[in-house]
Amino acid sequence: MNRLLSTCVYLIVSGLYFEAAAQQPASPAQLSPQRALLDQYCVICHNQAIVNSAPIDNEGLQTTQLRNLGLTLDTENVSNLAANPEIWEKVVKKLRVGVMPPPNYPRPNKDSYEEFRTWLESGLDQVAEARVDPGRTQAFHRLNQTEYRNAVRDLLDLDINVAELIPPDPPDQYGFDNNAEVLALSPVLVERYVSAAHKIAELAVGATPRGASIKTYDVPLNLIQDDRLNDELPFGSRGGTAIEHMFPVDGEYRITVNLQTNYVDFVRGYDLSHEMELSIDGEQLETFSFGGDAPGTPAPYSYAGNIRGSDDWEEFMMAFADKGFEVLVSVNAGPRIIGATFPREMWEPEGVQQPRLFGYHLAVTELPDVNPSIGSIQIEGPLSATGPGDTPSRRRIFSCNPTSSDEEPACAREILSDLAKLAYRRPINEQDIAGLMDFYNQGYRESNFETGIQFALERLLVSPDFLFRIEQDPVNAQPGTMYAISDIELASRLSFFLWSSLPDAELLDAVERGSLKQPAQLEEQVHRMMADARADAFVENFVGQWLYLRNLDGIYPDPARFPEFDENLRKAFQRETELFIDDQIRSDNSLLELLSADYTFVNERLAQHYNIPGIYGSRYRKVNLEDDQRGGLLGHGSLMMVTSYPNRTSPVLRGKFVLENLLGGPPPEPPPNVPALEETNEDGRVLTMREAMAMHRENPACRVCHAAMDPIGFSLENYDAIGKWRQQFAGQEIDASGLLPDGSTFDGPDGLKNLLLNRPDDFVGTVTEKLLTFALGRNLEYYDMPSVRSIVRTAAEDNYSWSSIILGVIKSTPFQMRRTEL
């Protein structure tokens, strides 16, 4: 009934349009080819009558979507694109993926389709050239959590886990958390920044803590500890963990290592004797022997906690679990690597091999005859303090050491001047220093020179000049004025784009020389910055959000359906993609190789998952691929996992991901109350994904969006929800073929890859849009799209290399200029 009413409403409104159009007939000879194409294929849906019609109950999703889109192509003058470029950029985006006209509607032939799109883009670029609009970034752009951490690290040489101090920032609608519009500053957040500044300043100068603190580092239960797990652990080791802990001062600390237990705290692997090694910064601290000495009669295997063993066995096992391995040790202040692991013991398993435990059984079964594992490392202290120590942060801060009280004020000014210049990202003045010296004097009066520096540092870390990237309009500039940003603002844009952190001294020196905007100097600085280790943040932050890698930690595949999944595989997924893209960028390859590359990075765990033979050990290495199952981003388990549900794949999520992040044609948001996908038919037979989606698409309004999403998602159905290759599902061969509304056909991941590679400007243009969004910290608008196309055209001459795209973004009008508020 609702569908019938929706269709009636749609036909009535469309009829109103045709009635109005009939009253003002136009001679075909007077119509331009573009106007004729729009009238023939587009205005039947995108017309003033539908857009301006009043909403009614149960009108149907299709009419609502058309009204919200707001395209009145019957009244827009296609011969004068400058009159409303925003509308025509919307049309270009719809044409990019070929989703319009929708299925079952007449379409122009492919040549006419592409000619119209090319004509539109060329015309819009000419409009933009004559009417430059760089857009407007926010005047105050708060540092997000990641930028704050990196800024503290580069300012003070102090790498801390700021997630314990300030909350994470929500991403914007495009998935980036550095958008100034969503980086608000609430009173609660101000309090968190003040508290964080106090803790960071104390830690940086080596102030003695008020008391001992306890920090526990848990090892996930589902981390398989059967090999060397960390480069910080010795060769020949098995399992365990290595963690970096910041010791605040020189002093005595208690380190406790707890073994993995089942849910009632019975230690696993205790039936046999074992050794566990504890180390600090790679130097062995202690070796503990344990196991094989429990008295009495144990509980039956797999029943500990449910069936009692003898009293002396129960008492011994519970006491051992509570105690753990404990050592008191004097540790020098600073970041230290604490490692706990086992010597590797090799033997061939005998008997019937049991399947890997998962879910409930992994938590309950005590496994007394297996290799033990590390459950956690706990560090308590300082139990006593002997001094602030010689830490990297103290060496960075105390650039001078006064020998008398007369020298202390001058030394304080020197220290605070150096820190303020880096922290504020600009030349400093006497007012800046005077404010910091006021806090220094207060701390000095309360205690001593170092306390004064600590107080001043707290003040610096809560200064708006540190917490915000500030961009100011020229004095007396008129509203809507376009102007070039200053060298100081350009340096900040560069560093936060490529490093997610502060400009360094070399970049600020270029600002002071006035040479940063010189083309040769700018390119030199960009190449230097991309070669720096701090550019790892570009992969971690831009790529991590563009490709949803940050979501990996929050996905927990259903253990009943995917018992082989473990934490080792989760880490391997993320590391593979990070290493792959880092290699692509540092080798300055073509962006097209993101799709076409015939290699990847794997360790033994990931190689087993991908059925790649001959790979052993936990070290990641570059391997060439011999088939089309892997290779390029579309073969990465990370992407397949973040675009699936915990219990099944999702052609919709995967198709939507490709449209949004690789083709730049995002579908509209789904309507509310979408019913769950049916997984079985009326007879109880498990449906293939294609059958289930066919039932879902019976609604005509849903069919328009799914017509582009589903075929793309189906082409990736050979990968299950954790990225493992499969040929069958529900007892049937997987049909991975796809047909897009524009008639493009493809089959499987390789076919989809070729489809994308045959549209290089669309793929590279989409990546460029994402890069420019990330670089500017704002949403892209219609007036930014000509800049995107210009970057892509220039990069095409260099085979779409990473350097040409990144330099193109940096040299672009939106990055180099700004508009005053209208």
Side-chain angles (χ1 to χ4, degrees):
M1 181 64 184
N2 288 344
R3 188 185 306 170
L4 177 61
L5 181 58
S6 170
T7 303
C8 291
V9 170
Y10 178 73
L11 290 175
I12 291 170
V13 174
S14 297
L16 292 175
Y17 160 72
F18 284 115
E19 181 179 349
Q23 294 173 2
Q24 296 178 342
S27 169
Q30 298 173 351
L31 298 178
S32 66
Q34 294 78 31
R35 180 75 263 169
L37 185 144
L38 290 170
D39 287 345
Q40 183 175 358
Y41 299 107
C42 304
V43 298
I44 185 173
C45 297
H46 302 288
N47 57 71
Q48 194 173 28
I50 288 181
V51 170
N52 294 338
S53 62
I56 64 173
D57 293 337
N58 299 320
E59 69 177 358
L61 176 63
Q62 189 171 7
T63 305
T64 303
Q65 288 177 336
L66 288 171
R67 183 184 298 107
N68 293 340
L69 189 59
L71 294 179
T72 56
L73 299 185
D74 54 331
T75 59
E76 295 293 338
N77 185 359
V78 73
S79 299
N80 182 16
L81 301 180
N84 198 346
E86 183 175 7
I87 286 289
W88 298 113
E89 287 290 358
K90 287 183 180 180
V91 173
V92 168
K93 190 172 284 287
K94 289 295 181 184
L95 295 177
R96 179 185 293 178
V97 188
V99 295
M100 292 295 163
N104 303 323
Y105 280 76
R107 298 178 63 90
N109 61 58
K110 190 170 185 178
D111 289 341
S112 299
Y113 199 100
E114 290 301 321
E115 286 174 5
F116 179 55
R117 176 186 165 184
T118 302
W119 180 87
L120 271 180
E121 290 178 341
S122 177
L124 289 166
D125 291 345
Q126 292 175 17
V127 170
E129 188 174 348
R131 191 182 350 176
V132 175
D133 188 349
R136 179 173 176 81
T137 52
Q138 294 288 317
F140 291 87
H141 187 158
R142 178 173 63 81
L143 304 189
N144 65 21
Q145 187 189 73
T146 300
E147 293 166 340
Y148 183 83
R149 173 179 181 172
N150 292 345
V152 169
R153 178 201 64 200
D154 294 341
L155 177 67
L156 304 174
D157 203 356
L158 180 65
D159 194 3
I160 58 172
N161 183 11
V162 299
E164 299 176 350
L165 304 177
I166 59 175
D169 300 291
D172 65 7
Q173 59 179 319
Y174 301 103
F176 294 112
D177 64 2
N178 69 337
N179 188 327
E181 294 181 4
V182 300
L183 291 171
L185 186 64
S186 65
V188 173
L189 189 55
V190 170
E191 292 179 5
R192 297 288 291 272
Y193 274 121
V194 171
S195 175
H198 176 69
K199 294 177 181 177
I200 292 168
E202 279 191 331
L203 198 58
V205 302
T208 301
R210 296 174 180 82
S213 62
I214 298 176
K215 173 69 176 177
T216 302
Y217 300 88
D218 291 316
V219 180
L221 184 64
N222 201 25
L223 180 72
I224 307 303
Q225 300 184 35
D226 59 2
D227 200 355
R228 179 172 178 249
L229 295 181
N230 193 299
D231 290 340
E232 302 293 345
L233 296 174
F235 289 104
S237 65
R238 176 199 63 78
T241 187
I243 53 96
E244 182 177 270
H245 181 80
M246 181 66 191
F247 291 87
V249 293
D250 292 352
E252 187 178 51
Y253 295 83
R254 178 181 290 111
I255 302 175
T256 304
V257 180
N258 294 300
L259 297 176
Q260 190 182 96
T261 65
N262 73 341
Y263 80 115
V264 288
D265 291 334
F266 287 104
V267 174
R268 288 173 166 159
Y270 201 86
D271 271 11
L272 302 176
S273 60
H274 303 281
E275 289 186 345
M276 192 272 294
E277 299 174 355
L278 182 65
S279 63
I280 296 183
D281 288 340
E283 295 185 7
Q284 188 168 326
L285 179 65
E286 190 79 47
T287 298
F288 299 94
S289 298
F290 66 96
D293 59 347
T297 304
Y301 277 9
S302 301
Y303 287 93
N306 297 303
I307 298 178
R308 284 183 60 84
S310 62
D311 289 346
D312 52 350
W313 182 86
E314 292 277 348
E315 183 179 347
F316 177 89
M317 292 299 290
M318 295 298 291
F320 181 83
D322 289 339
K323 180 181 178 182
F325 299 110
E326 183 180 293
V327 60
L328 291 176
V329 59
S330 294
V331 183
N332 292 331
R336 306 291 174 196
I337 301 295
I338 308 299
T341 187
F342 308 93
R344 187 166 188 174
E345 302 167 307
M346 303 292 293
W347 65 83
E348 189 69 26
E350 296 179 350
V352 178
Q353 297 301 300
Q354 299 299 309
R356 179 185 295 177
L357 298 178
F358 61 89
Y360 171 80
H361 304 286
L362 180 62
V364 170
T365 307
E366 79 277 14
L367 301 173
D369 57 342
V370 301
N371 280 327
S373 298
I374 301 297
S376 67
I377 295 179
Q378 184 183 90
I379 300 174
E380 180 183 0
L383 305 177
S384 63
T386 57
D390 181 24
T391 63
S393 61
R394 283 181 58 84
R395 292 193 294 271
R396 172 70 60 84
I397 293 169
F398 294 106
S399 56
C400 57
N401 294 287
T403 58
S404 67
S405 59
D406 293 338
E407 296 177 357
E408 288 175 341
C411 180
R413 289 183 67 88
E414 178 184 331
I415 290 172
L416 297 177
S417 297
D418 291 342
L419 291 175
K421 178 181 176 181
L422 286 175
Y424 298 166
R425 286 93 70 183
R426 59 171 173 78
I428 56 171
N429 54 44
E430 182 57 32
Q431 185 178 359
D432 296 322
I433 298 303
L436 295 175
M437 288 298 294
D438 287 343
F439 279 81
Y440 162 79
N441 291 328
Q442 180 183 345
Y444 183 84
R445 288 192 297 269
E446 287 191 15
S447 182
N448 56 28
F449 172 77
E450 292 193 358
T451 303
I453 296 297
Q454 176 192 325
F455 275 37
L457 186 55
E458 288 184 38
R459 172 64 180 86
L460 182 146
L461 291 175
V462 295
S463 168
D465 290 285
F466 176 71
L467 292 177
F468 290 89
R469 294 160 54 189
I470 302 172
E471 295 185 342
Q472 295 180 328
D473 292 337
V475 178
N476 299 324
Q478 296 298 312
T481 300
M482 317 300 166
Y483 66 92
I485 61 174
S486 68
D487 285 27
I488 293 171
E489 293 164 345
L490 178 59
S492 278
R493 285 193 179 190
L494 273 174
S495 66
F496 282 98
F497 174 35
L498 301 179
W499 290 346
S500 295
S501 186
L502 310 171
D504 63 356
E506 186 170 342
L507 202 55
L508 293 176
D509 288 344
V511 170
E512 292 185 353
R513 292 193 306 268
S515 62
L516 184 57
K517 288 187 177 180
Q518 297 173 7
Q521 176 68 14
L522 181 61
E523 288 195 22
E524 181 180 331
Q525 289 290 344
V526 171
H527 288 301
R528 176 186 71 86
M529 295 174 72
M530 288 304 297
D532 192 281
R534 283 168 287 189
D536 290 344
F538 180 78
V539 175
E540 180 182 346
N541 298 316
F542 168 69
V543 176
Q545 295 179 88
W546 168 45
L547 299 180
Y548 302 171
L549 294 185
R550 286 189 178 183
N551 298 352
L552 274 173
D553 285 343
I555 298 175
Y556 296 91
D558 183 353
R561 297 200 178 192
F562 305 103
E564 68 271 33
F565 182 80
D566 50 48
E567 292 301 314
N568 312 64
L569 190 58
R570 185 195 306 275
K571 292 182 178 180
F573 280 164
Q574 178 151 352
R575 194 65 184 137
E576 174 196 22
T577 305
E578 290 176 346
L579 287 171
F580 172 73
I581 294 188
D582 182 73
D583 182 71
Q584 289 281 315
I585 295 173
R586 296 193 184 278
S587 301
D588 199 21
N589 293 340
S590 168
L591 261 72
L592 299 181
E593 280 203 28
L594 290 175
L595 301 172
S596 64
D598 61 354
Y599 71 90
T600 191
F601 291 83
V602 297
N603 63 358
E604 182 177 356
R605 178 67 188 92
L606 188 58
Q608 289 175 348
H609 191 69
Y610 287 172
N611 291 319
I612 299 175
I615 305 297
Y616 302 99
S618 58
R619 180 180 64 85
Y620 291 88
R621 68 219 71 179
K622 186 177 181 178
V623 297
N624 292 321
L625 302 167
E626 299 179 355
D627 56 42
D628 57 3
Q629 293 182 10
R630 303 293 168 182
L633 287 175
L634 294 177
H636 283 209
S638 59
L639 266 66
M640 296 302 102
M641 183 165 151
V642 297
T643 54
S644 296
Y645 292 117
N647 62 337
R648 65 170 176 84
T649 61
S650 172
V652 174
L653 292 181
R654 290 177 176 178
K656 184 174 183 285
F657 174 86
V658 171
L659 289 175
E660 284 185 345
N661 296 287
L662 304 183
L663 275 176
E669 289 298 313
N673 304 319
V674 177
L677 199 67
E678 296 291 341
E679 297 190 23
T680 59
N681 65 6
E682 295 178 354
D683 299 327
R685 180 179 66 83
V686 177
L687 299 172
T688 66
M689 189 57 65
R690 189 175 290 269
E691 291 172 333
M693 291 306 303
M695 294 175 59
H696 184 73
R697 288 195 306 273
E698 288 183 357
N699 187 330
C702 298
R703 189 180 304 139
V704 175
C705 299
H706 283 274
M709 286 191 297
D710 293 0
I712 293 173
F714 287 140
S715 71
L716 300 172
E717 267 297 286
N718 285 111
Y719 300 114
D720 68 12
I722 58 171
K724 193 168 187 176
W725 185 265
R726 60 185 181 178
Q727 296 287 0
Q728 293 187 336
F729 178 71
Q732 300 184 42
E733 289 291 319
I734 290 175
D735 178 4
S737 61
L739 171 66
L740 291 179
D742 66 358
S744 300
T745 60
F746 48 94
D747 193 356
D750 204 46
L752 177 60
K753 181 192 308 180
N754 291 331
L755 174 76
L756 296 172
L757 290 172
N758 288 333
R759 302 180 178 187
D761 284 359
D762 290 340
F763 170 65
V764 176
T766 302
V767 180
T768 304
E769 286 182 34
K770 298 293 182 180
L771 277 168
L772 189 58
T773 301
F774 180 76
L776 296 176
R778 66 167 174 82
N779 299 337
L780 295 193
E781 302 294 344
Y782 70 92
Y783 42 75
D784 297 308
M785 303 318 297
S787 293
V788 171
R789 291 190 287 268
S790 176
I791 294 169
V792 174
R793 283 194 300 269
T794 302
E797 300 172 3
D798 192 29
N799 194 28
Y800 306 105
S801 68
W802 273 99
S803 62
S804 64
I805 295 293
I806 291 174
L807 278 169
V809 167
I810 290 168
K811 293 178 179 179
S812 69
T813 296
F815 195 88
Q816 294 276 337
M817 298 182 68
R818 190 167 179 258
R819 185 190 68 222
T820 59
E821 201 160 9
L822 297 174

